[in-house]
Structure formats: C-alpha cells, structure tokens
Amino acid sequence: PDGATEEELKRFNKLAQTIVFTSQGIPFSYAGEELYRTKMGDHNSYQSPDAINQIVWDQKTTHEDVFNYYRNLIRLRHQHPAFRMPTREMVQQHLTFLDVPDTPNVVAYSISGNANGDPAAEILVILNGNRKPVKLAIPQQSWKVLAHDGMINPDGMGTATGPELWIGASSATILVLL
C-alpha cells in the first residue's frame, strides 16, 4: 500500500508466507523470497535484465530476520503434519474456522484431533491482515506460542492462556495446546 514503511513491508512478507506454509497443500516460494528479494518493484520481470532478476546473496545477512523467519516457518511445517493433511476428508474432519465477529481482515482456524498424526492435540492459527493490532477471543486453555507478532520459533516462545489475545499488526499468531 502507499506509504508503507520498510518494516511494514517485511511484516506483509512474513504474513503472506505464513499463510502459504500453514495452508493445506504444497507450498510454493519464489527463489530468493527468503532473502527478501524485491526485483526492484518489477512485478513482471520476464524480459528484464539480470540486474533485476538476480538473487543478491548479501541480502541474507542484510535481512537476516526474514531469512530466519522463513527457515523457522519451514521447520514448523515439518514438525506439524497437521499442515500437510493428504485428503479433503481429513481437512473437513480436523480443520474448523473460528468465528471472528466484528474483526475484518482476520482469519482464525483450529486444527484438532492430532490431525495427520500431529503431536499437538490442537493448533490455533490466527492471521491478522490489518495494519493495526486486534484483540481476539481465544479458547481459555494453556497454549504454547510458536509464532507471534512477526516472530516465530517452532520450539516455543512462551505461553498464552486467553480468554483474549492481542494479535500484532500484519502478522500471524500460531499456538499449540499444551
């Protein structure tokens, strides 16, 4: 969007890939996305020169936070087979969208029942597409926080208990039931 800061653009990037990697099906990433590759704003670079299409490897250190986010997002997907259910019937049995009244641009769902042999009895995924934080009701249970406010750690980053939780602007929160 017009006027978006560099920090907001990184948040949009991380949120978009969180949506891809926590969705069912096979995720797809373009080469260099994990390095925060922009192609200098050229959205159709098919006939653009190498200066536009090349991967700038120095960006791995310049945007190390984005690289590490992608790496941990891939780890999260590998550690939780619930994000890789092979059949429509499994998805229909285990995935439930949560009602998020009066909260536009927010999608929340749970994957329950140790779906696809997942070690977690339940996973809660909340995606906030707003440029401001939102407060959302969550089940009042003990949750391990795996992703929150632009940060991710598949081994956990603390706990949350509900009944409400603030979800950071343009970010995802992923919780697993303890």
Side-chain angles (χ1 to χ4, degrees), residues 71-136:
R71 185 181 63 191
N72 283 325
L73 192 55
I74 292 166
R75 274 186 56 220
L76 175 74
R77 185 172 176 89
H78 283 301
Q79 289 178 6
H80 290 280
F83 295 122
R84 304 185 315 271
M85 289 185 270
T87 67
R88 176 179 50 161
E89 291 77 22
M90 285 182 83
V91 173
Q92 290 172 335
Q93 177 184 355
H94 296 285
L95 192 144
T96 306
F97 285 93
L98 280 64
D99 188 24
V100 288
D102 304 321
T103 316
N105 304 316
V106 173
V107 174
Y109 61 91
S110 71
I111 304 173
S112 60
N114 299 95
N116 199 27
D118 201 286
E122 185 171 0
I123 301 171
L124 184 59
V125 177
I126 306 165
L127 308 163
N128 179 12
N130 295 290
R131 291 173 78 177
K132 61 181 175 42
V134 297
K135 185 168 42 170
L136 196 68

Side-chain angles (χ1 to χ4, degrees), residues 156-173:
M157 309 181 335
T159 59
T161 57
E164 294 177 322
L165 184 65
W166 280 97
I167 311 302
S170 306
S171 71
T173 294

Side-chain angles (χ1 to χ4, degrees), residues 8-152:
E8 283 182 306
L9 292 172
K10 281 187 177 185
R11 292 177 76 82
F12 301 158
N13 179 288
K14 291 176 181 179
L15 175 60
Q17 285 311 303
T18 303
I19 293 167
V20 169
F21 279 88
T22 59
S23 295
Q24 300 301 315
I26 299 170
F28 180 84
S29 288
Y30 288 102
E33 271 190 74
E34 72 283 4
L35 308 178
Y36 197 56
R37 178 177 177 214
T38 66
K39 295 202 276 183
M40 299 180 202
D42 187 342
H43 298 290
N44 186 6
S45 65
Y46 172 70
Q47 294 183 340
S48 296
D50 289 345
I52 299 294
N53 284 310
Q54 71 183 349
I55 295 174
V56 180
W57 294 102
D58 290 345
Q59 287 186 296
K60 182 177 177 184
T61 54
T62 306
H63 301 290
E64 187 176 9
D65 61 319
V66 174
F67 177 80
N68 288 332
Y69 190 91
Y70 274 62
R71 185 181 63 191
N72 283 325
L73 192 55
I74 292 166
R75 274 186 56 220
L76 175 74
R77 185 172 176 89
H78 283 301
Q79 289 178 6
H80 290 280
F83 295 122
R84 304 185 315 271
M85 289 185 270
T87 67
R88 176 179 50 161
E89 291 77 22
M90 285 182 83
V91 173
Q92 290 172 335
Q93 177 184 355
H94 296 285
L95 192 144
T96 306
F97 285 93
L98 280 64
D99 188 24
V100 288
D102 304 321
T103 316
N105 304 316
V106 173
V107 174
Y109 61 91
S110 71
I111 304 173
S112 60
N114 299 95
N116 199 27
D118 201 286
E122 185 171 0
I123 301 171
L124 184 59
V125 177
I126 306 165
L127 308 163
N128 179 12
N130 295 290
R131 291 173 78 177
K132 61 181 175 42
V134 297
K135 185 168 42 170
L136 196 68
I138 63 169
Q140 194 163 349
Q141 298 172 325
S142 292
W143 299 93
K144 182 184 348 179
V145 179
L146 304 182
H148 186 68
D149 202 20
M151 310 258 298
I152 187 169

